[in-house]
């Protein structure tokens, strides 16, 4: 996939910018908006039906449903797990990834609450601004690496130490 990584990064960056703009300005993106609304409503229905049940199986199903929620960083980590030699290494990597992201996951709601009350910003606008910024970052990253990918490289010089 490395041959397509920069193209994928730029494409996902463009999608993030479009989604962020649609969140701020209520612009409807014909295919994307309808697909996201349908997917979101399906997830909500599935989640609501299992919240009422309170059984052990329902907790497992709700965890699986949470895994379907779009999170680029998690998908990136899962993609890395594919390259690992065995399932145990993948499990350990994802456990470490979960522990590493836990402080951020606990801290972001506090920061969002502070921003929304202190600066009178709506959480949806903060989320949209972050999506636009991350999309621009992905596109800039792709452009930078495309520009420098074909840069001439200096030939290696052998240095002999006596």
């Amino acid at each position: 996939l490395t041959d397509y990584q920069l193209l994928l990064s730029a494409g996902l960056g463009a999608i993030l910018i479009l989604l962020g703009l649609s969140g701020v300005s209520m612009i409807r993106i014909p295919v994307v908006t309808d697909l996201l609304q349908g997917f979101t409503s399906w997830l909500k229905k599935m989640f609501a039906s299992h919240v009422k049940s309170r059984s052990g199986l329902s907790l497992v199903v709700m965890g699986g449903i949470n895994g379907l929620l779009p999170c680029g960083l998690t998908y990136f980590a899962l993609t890395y797990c594919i390259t690992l030699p065995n399932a145990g290494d993948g499990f350990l990597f994802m456990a470490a990834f979960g522990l590493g992201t836990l402080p951020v996951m606990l801290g972001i709601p506090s920061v969002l609450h502070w921003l929304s009350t202190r600066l009178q910003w709506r959480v949806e606008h903060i989320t949209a601004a972050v999506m636009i910024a991350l999309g621009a970052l992905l596109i800039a990253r792709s452009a930078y690496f495309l520009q420098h990918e074909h840069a001439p490289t200096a030939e290696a010089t052998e240095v002999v130490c006596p």
Side-chain angles (χ1 to χ4, degrees), residues 2 8 10-11 30 38 52 84 108-109 125 138 141 150 152 157 159:
T2 56
L8 183 64
K52 295 174 187 173
L84 296 175
I108 283 185
H125 291 139
L138 283 173
R141 176 189 169 274
H150 301 293
T157 304
V159 177

Side-chain angles (χ1 to χ4, degrees), residues 25 28 35 42 45 49 53 57 63 72 74 76 78 85 94 106 114-115 135 139 146 148-149 157 161:
S25 62
R28 288 187 49 83
L35 284 174
W42 177 78
K45 287 177 190 173
S49 69
S53 176
L57 179 61
T74 302
F76 179 72
L78 288 171
M94 287 307 292
L106 295 175
W114 180 83
L115 285 174
I139 291 172
L146 278 175
H148 291 86
E149 182 179 50
T157 304
C161 296

Side-chain angles (χ1 to χ4, degrees), residues 9 15 65 94 98 127 140 143:
S9 178
I15 290 171
I65 292 170
M94 287 307 292
T127 303

Side-chain angles (χ1 to χ4, degrees), residues 3-100:
D3 294 340
Y4 303 104
Q5 185 176 9
L6 295 178
L7 181 62
L8 183 64
S9 178
L12 290 175
I15 290 171
L16 280 175
I17 290 173
L18 284 173
L19 290 174
L21 288 174
S22 71
V24 171
S25 62
M26 298 304 180
I27 296 171
R28 288 187 49 83
I29 305 167
V31 174
V32 176
T33 304
D34 294 339
L35 284 174
L36 280 177
Q37 285 178 346
F39 182 65
T40 304
S41 72
W42 177 78
L43 280 177
K44 285 179 182 178
K45 287 177 190 173
M46 291 292 293
F47 208 81
S49 69
H50 288 285
V51 165
K52 295 174 187 173
S53 176
R54 296 187 189 267
S55 71
L57 179 61
S58 289
L59 290 175
V60 171
V61 171
M62 286 190 299
I65 292 170
N66 272 333
L68 294 175
L69 295 174
C71 175
L73 190 58
T74 302
Y75 292 154
F76 179 72
L78 288 171
T79 303
Y80 178 74
C81 286
I82 294 171
T83 66
L84 296 175
N86 58 48
D89 289 345
F91 172 79
L92 290 174
F93 177 80
M94 287 307 292
F97 174 79
L99 287 174

Side-chain angles (χ1 to χ4, degrees), residues 95-111:
F97 174 79
L99 287 174
T101 57
L102 187 63
V104 174
M105 297 301 290
L106 295 175
I108 283 185
S110 301
V111 171

